[in-house]
Amino acid sequence: MSVQNSGSSMLTTAATSQPAAPAKAPRYRDHLALRILRDKRALTGVIILVIFVVVALAAPLLEPGDPRASVATGSESPSFAHLLGTTTKGEDVLALLIWGARSSLGIGFTVGALATLVGLLIGLTSAYFGRVIDDILSVVTNIFLLIPGLPLLIILAAFLPPGPGTIVIVLVITGWAGSARVVRAQALSLRGKDYIDAAVVTGERPLTIMIREMLPNMASIVMSTFLACVIFGIGAQAGLEFLGLGDVSAVSWGTNLFWASNEGSLIRGTWWTFVPSGAAIALIAFSLALINYAIDEVTNPRLAGRTKRKDRRR
């Protein structure tokens, strides 16, 4: 009898000592991209951005031919034949809008990528090496931050030959400093970590440490910086071309606004020649801002508690 009781007690103890089945991980621990897309604002921003990108890539199929060609009489209001009307020269506004997306989005994302890359190189180098190198790079960064952006843009664009390459160079020169400052601040907090010191002691090269050890821990900062640079690139390109400092023979949202202003569309009341391009710029900036806000909310520790509470309510 005692043997049976001891055996049963041993079985009971073994059953209770077995580890419980792993609980399902909370949704806020999912992959970063899924956590971001779960946010309604981010999902809205992604949908708007994807629509614009698809339309830009499909421009030769949606509006074949030369978008600058005169297809009707001048200043026709929107109709079934021309959904967004025509310009003073008889150009179809919808064709100009679709083809302009290719140039504006292409330059915006190119500027965003290059400005972020320059900011990463300078910010990581400054934070990692410190001392004299940090002082020199910080002074250079502060100079570019203190110089008024618009006058510098106008001066550089006025003295360089017009074209998309010039626009990209000018915007990268004037747009990298902000990203470098943000990256440096984040990299300084990582520079004193134990795993960075261990990598230095084991003889890892500085470039390897910066790329393999520091950069992966700055993914959210890099993404936010990239999106901010893209917004800057699209808006600044439109501003330069609106002032006539770009290639006015090209088709972009900025040149559409330039020709609408040059032809007196505001005075003539032909709102359909400038509202679509302006609305497109605003929508793209709005969508990128929504995505940027969601990234910050998901990855910022101060907002993590609020994100968890939202997930639990769902």
Side-chain angles (χ1 to χ4, degrees), residues 157-178:
F159 284 94
L160 293 175
T166 297
I167 295 292
V168 170
I169 292 173
V170 170
L171 296 183
V172 171
I173 290 175
T174 57
W176 64 267

Side-chain angles (χ1 to χ4, degrees), residues 106-142:
I107 290 180
F109 279 95
T110 302
V111 169
L114 293 179
T116 303
L117 179 60
V118 174
L120 276 174
L121 291 175
I122 294 179
L124 286 173
T125 302
S126 179
Y128 180 83
F129 290 103
R131 298 183 180 180
V132 178
I133 294 179
D134 184 27
D135 293 338
I136 295 174
L137 293 179
S138 295
V139 169
V140 175
T141 303
N142 291 334

Side-chain angles (χ1 to χ4, degrees), residues 43-109:
L43 184 59
T44 302
V46 170
I47 292 174
I48 295 173
L49 180 61
V50 168
I51 291 174
F52 273 98
V53 171
V54 170
V55 169
L57 294 176
L61 300 177
L62 297 175
E63 292 290 342
D66 184 9
R68 288 290 188 191
S70 298
V71 295
T73 57
S75 301
E76 285 190 7
S77 59
S79 62
F80 288 106
H82 304 285
L83 296 180
L84 295 180
T86 62
T87 66
T88 305
K89 301 175 182 177
E91 303 160 335
D92 188 86
V93 175
L94 180 60
L96 294 174
L97 180 70
I98 293 176
W99 280 94
R102 294 171 67 93
S103 174
S104 295
L105 293 180
I107 290 180
F109 279 95

Side-chain angles (χ1 to χ4, degrees), residues 88-242:
T88 305
K89 301 175 182 177
E91 303 160 335
D92 188 86
V93 175
L94 180 60
L96 294 174
L97 180 70
I98 293 176
W99 280 94
R102 294 171 67 93
S103 174
S104 295
L105 293 180
I107 290 180
F109 279 95
T110 302
V111 169
L114 293 179
T116 303
L117 179 60
V118 174
L120 276 174
L121 291 175
I122 294 179
L124 286 173
T125 302
S126 179
Y128 180 83
F129 290 103
R131 298 183 180 180
V132 178
I133 294 179
D134 184 27
D135 293 338
I136 295 174
L137 293 179
S138 295
V139 169
V140 175
T141 303
N142 291 334
I143 290 174
F144 276 88
L145 286 173
L146 291 175
I147 295 176
L150 183 59
L152 181 59
L153 281 172
I154 294 175
I155 292 173
L156 291 176
F159 284 94
L160 293 175
T166 297
I167 295 292
V168 170
I169 292 173
V170 170
L171 296 183
V172 171
I173 290 175
T174 57
W176 64 267
S179 60
R181 173 60 64 84
V182 173
V183 170
R184 175 184 175 274
Q186 181 70 12
L188 281 175
S189 65
L190 297 175
R191 182 63 179 86
K193 299 294 184 181
D194 293 338
Y195 64 90
I196 301 296
D197 294 334
V200 174
V201 172
T202 56
E204 292 285 349
R205 296 180 178 180
L207 184 60
T208 303
I209 295 174
M210 287 187 284
I211 294 177
R212 293 185 178 180
E213 304 294 341
M214 301 178 71
L215 190 58
N217 293 290
M218 302 170 57
S220 61
I221 295 295
V222 174
M223 292 172 63
S224 296
T225 302
F226 169 71
L227 293 176
C229 289
V230 172
I231 295 174
F232 163 76
I234 294 175
Q237 180 213 10
L240 286 177
E241 291 178 338
F242 176 73

Side-chain angles (χ1 to χ4, degrees), residues 22-56:
K24 187 177 179 181
R27 290 194 297 175
Y28 57 84
R29 291 183 179 179
D30 290 342
H31 192 273
L32 177 62
L34 296 177
R35 291 159 56 192
I36 294 173
L37 291 177
R38 194 171 289 121
D39 189 284
K40 293 181 179 179
R41 288 162 296 189
L43 184 59
T44 302
V46 170
I47 292 174
I48 295 173
L49 180 61
V50 168
I51 291 174
F52 273 98
V53 171
V54 170
V55 169

